Amino acid sequence: MVESKTKYDRQLRIWGEQGQAALEQACICLLGCGPTGSETLKNLVLGGVGSITIVDGSKVVEDDLGNNFMLDESSVGKSKAKSVCFFLQELNDAVKAKFVEESPEALIERHPSFFSQFTLVIATQLVEPSVLKLDIICRQANVMLICARSYGLTGLVRISLKEHTVIDSKPDHFLDDLRLNNPWPELKRFVESIDLNSTDPVVHKHTPYVVILVKLADEWANSHGGCLPSTREEKKKFKDLLKGRMIAIDEDNYNEAIEASFKISASPGISPALHRIINDSSAEVDSTSSDFWVMVAALKEFIANEGGGEAPLEGSLPDMTSLTEYYVNLQKIYQAKAETDVLAVEQRVRNILKRIGREPGAISKSNIKSFCRNARKLSVCRYRPIEDEFNSPMPAELQKYLIDEDYSIAVGFYILLRAVDRFAANYNRIPGVYDGVMDEDISCLKTIAVELHAVAAFIGGIASQEVIKLITKQFVPMSGTFIFNGIDHKSQLLAL
Amino acid sequence: MAESAGRWRDLDKLLLRPGNIVSPNFEPGPELRDDLQTYARVLVVGAGGLGCELLKDLALSGFRNIDVIDMDRIEVTNLNRQFLFRLQDVGKPKAEVAAMRVMERVSGVNIVPHFCRIEDKELDFYSDFTIIALGLDSIEARSYINAVACSFLEYDSDDNPLEESIKPMVDGGTEGFKGHARVILPGKTPCFECTIWLFPPQVKFPLCTLAETPRTAAHCIEYAHLIKWDEVHSGKSFDADDPEHMQWVFSEAVKRAELFGIPGVTYSLTQGVVKNIIPAIASTNAIISAACALEALKIMTGCSKTLSNYLTYNGLEGLHTKVTEFVREKDCLVCGPGVLLELDTSVTLQKFIELIGEHPKLLLSKPSITYRGKTLYMQAPPVLEEMTRSNLILPLYDLMDKVSKDVIHVNGMTSKNDAKQSCLLKLRIVFKGIDGMTDMDMASGA
């Protein structure tokens, strides 16, 4: 449809056509369509997920109209799942919207295999015993699970799945991959071909900082026993060296070089995070390994061999003051090196695939290319089973959080919310639901039985954003349990 | 309208019960909900991604008297997040459709739409609201509304803000997976202008780079847009909303990119660069608006303490939220007690206009001047200019009813980062040699 490219324009600029295609193939199941659930799905329907299936066994009562926008007067007395489904469908006719009129708890008991048809299940306001059962069902069926709850002025969101791997993590700020202190022969040759002392002032002020820094880093190393500036004093001296080369104060390229001078001291080799990934036991691959881990195994070999301790070159060059010709040539040199690295990794991927008994061409070249370009930014997220979190809490972690000023309120909420869930499971009602017995309930949680629309919209927003990250396999989903603090907004993520 | 008490079950539990973490003047009771529904009037500025969410969130948080102002019409590219709009609404005013949709869904709520520019409304219009919620994507518009809200702020003789003159604001902003929500209590917490450095002006490419040393696809696009267009279409201005114009810029950019061997020019990028498109998604807007609406509810009812005072959200790598307590700029021209001007009683309005044009802190050109709601001089429209022109030769002292000191409001143009923009300032006028001026705290003024 012509419309859809325009309709999704503002999000295509974020996750691209690949991300959008992943969304359009996703089948999402929502358990519980109160405000938290309805708001979560609203954001996903707008974004154009493939299908939604709403599971809720309740009928709409007058009370529901006060906090759920996906209902109106005409819904009263009707199936809540059906009504919410109708209003959500209105938002985007490209989405297949279905509903099942049954309580999520009963469905989990009666029909566990129901969930295996979905990409991802969103469980909202679900009681503790059902959450535990659902987590086991989803993990067995390899279906992603996200739990969201709103309680009064607080709430929580928790992802549960075995493992989520991200190639295209699109971090906000990431040091570019320029290899200024370790240039490969082609880059070296290009740098040597340029005279920093050009008498043409236009050329002088349009010599890219990459060239300036590679040259002067080399000069520095030659006069400092092969070492690059490391102390603060040396770094300042290096900047002075750069300043001394300027022939006019308006030379932006030299100012950029001074600003970027810290890049020549970038430590060689891979980051600790990437080190952990290539040394993960999953990088010892067999026929059951995912494509991601097969590529990690190849990456590990590459780093130890052709890479000389480095990951494949990313191949992109930030914009910098330069003559067009210098910049374009430099860009080509970076791209060519990246391409060479991709070929080396690809060869290793093919060999590994053969070794583990898979078709050598099973992983496409474009996937390998994307993997190499993002090799420094790979991310692996793993989540403890919810049952483990509940049954074997980590007292040391909790203790640490309790005495940390920034975390103590969030962890206090967490403990209270867990207590509320236990209470609900044991007494079959949420504390605070009846005014008369309020005193016997936990007085601190004055609003615990409440699903405020604004809080539900916040929690639903968080949950839907995490769903998008999980489905598009872009960006990094949150780790741990998100505890919303609607009192002063000092929300926290707890690793539990 | 008759409705069962059950409708507000959840809200009532928040407002009827005492708690530990509430505002010091929180007195739980049903009056709070009634106050919220009867007396609270909220203005939502912007009916876009944040505005749609804000309207829904506020209507379902118990606010009943809501106004919404937006000058835009609905476009297809809005539909991935502005959930109150449908394909068949494209071309209609956002404010009107948004108001209608929320009223259809939430009974008892009254939303008045205003399809116009924010500058088109008189100060009086803004003074009617108890709280203002901002869902904007422009710094200039935020600045303007901020100045309007701060113009109502009054100070006592000790330079303490008068509680009843504080017009609270909640402000949200998003870009992709990132956003912010903030609470502005003018006179108490920093206003938008106090922390203007949080919004650095957009960096533009130097024209010589575009003309002589292009390196990126964006350079080629801006060359076609800013240089080539004028060369070829003498006199005809470029219209970013005209697809033919956009197509022309795109094909020129492609040609230039080929000439220089620069990769990456696409139609989508051309639109993005030329229109400065900020990517936007439903989930971030939902998160930020919900935070703003929740703060509005807390400010109005005191049912819990409020955000103090700036929340940032970043969902790119994991999930990060951070609350920062910014501090007020002591000498803020906008939310401070106002620039103090000492004048002779003989100064005419004409002379006064010249003075504020030259004053180094103000540099205000084309000012329109109001005093206690009374228009002293208007630049436009011509009919009003003519009506007020005769005031120019009168002494300001007379026009201000011969009071020794008071505040006047000036609406004019000022230069900021080389761009002219409209602004609203509050000036404290003190007339020399008149009784009562001795107790004025001169040290705090200009």
Side-chain angles (χ1 to χ4, degrees), chain A residues 58-221:
Chain A
S58 62
K59 297 266 188 267
V60 179
V61 295
E62 178 82 21
D63 297 2
D64 295 323
L65 305 183
N67 62 7
N68 195 335
F69 197 75
M70 295 301 149
L71 300 171
D72 74 2
E73 307 271 302
S74 70
S75 317
V76 175
K78 294 185 189 150
S79 152
K80 197 187 282 180
K82 186 179 178 180
S83 303
V84 169
C85 186
F86 172 80
F87 284 119
L88 284 173
Q89 181 72 77
E90 251 186 17
L91 302 180
N92 193 345
D93 56 15
V95 176
K96 286 190 211 76
K98 292 173 275 186
F99 65 92
V100 175
E101 220 189 312
E102 184 168 358
S103 92
E105 290 83 0
L107 192 64
I108 291 164
E109 283 300 325
R110 196 181 56 77
H111 194 181
S113 65
F114 172 81
F115 298 99
S116 58
Q117 60 183 300
F118 299 106
T119 319
L120 184 147
V121 176
I122 304 162
T124 65
Q125 313 296 89
L126 192 62
V127 298
E128 187 185 291
S130 300
V131 169
L132 292 176
K133 281 182 195 141
L134 181 64
D135 189 35
I136 293 164
I137 294 167
C138 287
R139 277 174 186 259
Q140 270 168 2
N142 256 328
V143 173
M144 299 185 272
L145 173 66
I146 185 159
C147 300
R149 294 210 61 162
S150 307
Y151 309 76
L153 287 172
T154 179
L156 67 80
V157 180
R158 162 54 149 116
I159 293 171
S160 188
L161 47 88
K162 278 180 226 157
E163 179 183 282
H164 177 75
T165 55
V166 190
I167 295 171
D168 193 4
S169 64
K170 294 191 164 78
D172 217 357
H173 302 286
F174 207 83
L175 191 60
D176 33 33
D177 193 11
L178 296 177
R179 312 278 165 97
L180 299 176
N181 54 19
N182 184 19
W184 61 98
E186 289 80 5
L187 178 59
K188 220 178 213 162
R189 221 170 297 137
F190 178 75
V191 168
E192 280 162 7
S193 74
I194 294 172
D195 179 11
L196 277 195
N197 302 315
S198 168
T199 49
D200 181 343
V202 174
V203 174
H204 196 274
K205 72 184 285 195
H206 287 92
T207 302
Y209 80 70
V210 164
V211 172
I212 299 172
L213 288 177
V214 169
K215 247 188 195 268
L216 293 188
D218 191 47
E219 226 171 77
W220 176 282

Side-chain angles (χ1 to χ4, degrees), chain A residues 285-305:
Chain A
V285 292
D286 58 32
S287 60
T288 63
S289 298
S290 68
D291 289 358
F292 177 86
W293 287 110
V294 170
M295 290 191 280
V296 170
L299 173 66
K300 185 177 183 175
E301 291 180 8
F302 173 90
I303 293 168
N305 295 284

Side-chain angles (χ1 to χ4, degrees), chain A residues 336-406:
Chain A
K337 162 74 170 151
E339 184 59 25
T340 310
D341 288 355
V342 169
L343 285 175
V345 173
E346 184 186 6
Q347 197 51 50
R348 295 193 174 274
V349 169
R350 308 273 172 244
N351 289 340
I352 292 169
L353 283 168
K354 209 183 295 175
R355 195 177 75 220
I356 62 177
R358 288 179 62 189
E359 181 56 43
I363 301 177
S364 74
K365 167 113 190 204
S366 70
N367 281 353
I368 296 169
K369 202 169 170 175
S370 155
F371 181 87
C372 289
R373 197 168 50 233
N374 292 293
R376 297 182 310 139
K377 306 165 188 171
L378 302 176
S379 175
V380 175
C381 310
R382 294 190 175 113
Y383 301 88
R384 276 178 103 193
I386 297 177
E387 192 171 24
D388 287 5
E389 177 190 325
F390 285 6
N391 294 343
S392 29
M394 297 182 282
E397 285 296 308
L398 283 171
Q399 196 65 40
K400 199 183 76 200
Y401 284 138
L402 276 166
I403 55 172
D404 184 328
E405 197 187 336
D406 291 337

Side-chain angles (χ1 to χ4, degrees), chain B residues 2-273:
Chain B
E3 65 180 34
S4 80
R7 165 69 65 90
W8 300 106
R9 167 195 62 187
D10 293 83
L11 189 61
D12 279 351
K13 285 201 182 107
L14 181 72
L15 301 180
L16 301 186
R17 293 173 177 176
N20 301 339
I21 316 166
V22 296
S23 162
N25 33 16
F26 177 69
E27 282 174 26
E31 308 79 30
L32 268 179
R33 197 230 301 155
D34 292 342
D35 277 359
L36 195 61
Q37 297 187 336
T38 317
Y39 301 110
R41 286 199 62 195
V42 54
L43 172 66
V44 175
V45 186
L50 292 165
C52 285
E53 290 281 343
L54 283 168
L55 287 170
K56 161 187 71 86
D57 293 345
L58 292 167
L60 289 176
S61 295
F63 288 90
R64 290 208 156 172
N65 305 304
I66 304 175
D67 284 46
V68 58
I69 183 165
D70 195 307
M71 62 185 275
D72 285 337
R73 293 176 184 274
I74 297 160
E75 294 177 32
V76 177
T77 55
N78 302 147
L79 301 178
N80 79 321
R81 60 197 187 283
Q82 299 176 18
F83 68 97
L84 296 173
F85 310 141
R86 314 276 173 264
L87 195 55
Q88 63 270 22
D89 300 324
V90 169
K92 295 180 191 161
K94 286 185 177 180
E96 289 169 13
V97 177
M100 179 192 77
R101 289 273 144 74
V102 175
M103 284 196 289
E104 276 170 7
R105 198 65 67 81
V106 184
S107 68
V109 67
N110 183 39
I111 304 181
V112 181
H114 304 270
F115 172 47
C116 62
R117 294 158 49 86
I118 48 178
E119 296 91 341
D120 293 344
K121 292 285 181 188
E122 302 279 337
L123 270 187
D124 274 358
F125 168 78
Y126 293 103
S127 74
D128 284 350
F129 298 99
T130 30
I131 186 163
I132 302 176
L134 286 75
L136 292 164
D137 59 3
S138 112
I139 296 171
E140 291 75 23
R142 278 197 187 91
S143 235
Y144 186 83
I145 296 287
N146 179 68
V148 169
C150 291
S151 74
F152 303 121
L153 183 63
E154 289 175 33
Y155 284 83
D156 65 16
S157 51
D158 298 326
D159 276 356
N160 293 315
L162 295 173
E163 199 73 36
E164 61 276 15
S165 72
I166 294 175
K167 181 105 35 208
M169 282 177 281
V170 290
D171 168 54
T174 72
E175 177 175 352
F177 281 65
K178 295 190 284 188
H180 79 263
R182 71 190 296 182
V183 169
I184 299 177
L185 304 171
K188 289 188 155 180
T189 69
C191 80
F192 184 72
E193 223 60 45
C194 292
T195 54
I196 191 75
W197 49 271
L198 286 165
F199 299 82
Q202 207 206 340
V203 188
K204 293 201 175 92
F205 303 123
L207 285 179
C208 60
T209 295
L210 303 184
E212 283 154 27
T213 56
R215 301 174 300 270
T216 66
H219 292 154
C220 298
I221 292 164
E222 283 296 63
Y223 171 80
H225 168 217
L226 299 172
I227 296 173
K228 190 82 194 231
W229 177 273
D230 288 337
E231 269 175 33
V232 175
H233 305 83
S234 57
K236 185 158 101 182
S237 60
F238 175 80
D239 177 6
D241 292 322
D242 185 329
E244 273 179 40
H245 290 196
M246 194 61 85
Q247 190 62 46
W248 187 90
V249 166
F250 168 58
S251 55
E252 284 301 315
V254 168
K255 278 187 223 161
R256 189 164 176 81
E258 275 168 8
L259 184 67
F260 285 96
I262 296 167
V265 175
T266 62
Y267 188 71
S268 168
L269 183 69
T270 306
Q271 287 180 306
V273 169

Side-chain angles (χ1 to χ4, degrees), chain A residues 42 73 320 465 469 486, chain B residues 7 53 215 298 313 315:
Chain A
K42 179 197 95 221
E73 307 271 302
M320 60 191 72
Q465 190 153 106
K469 292 192 268 183
Chain B
R7 165 69 65 90
E53 290 281 343
R215 301 174 300 270
K298 292 191 295 180
Y313 168 83

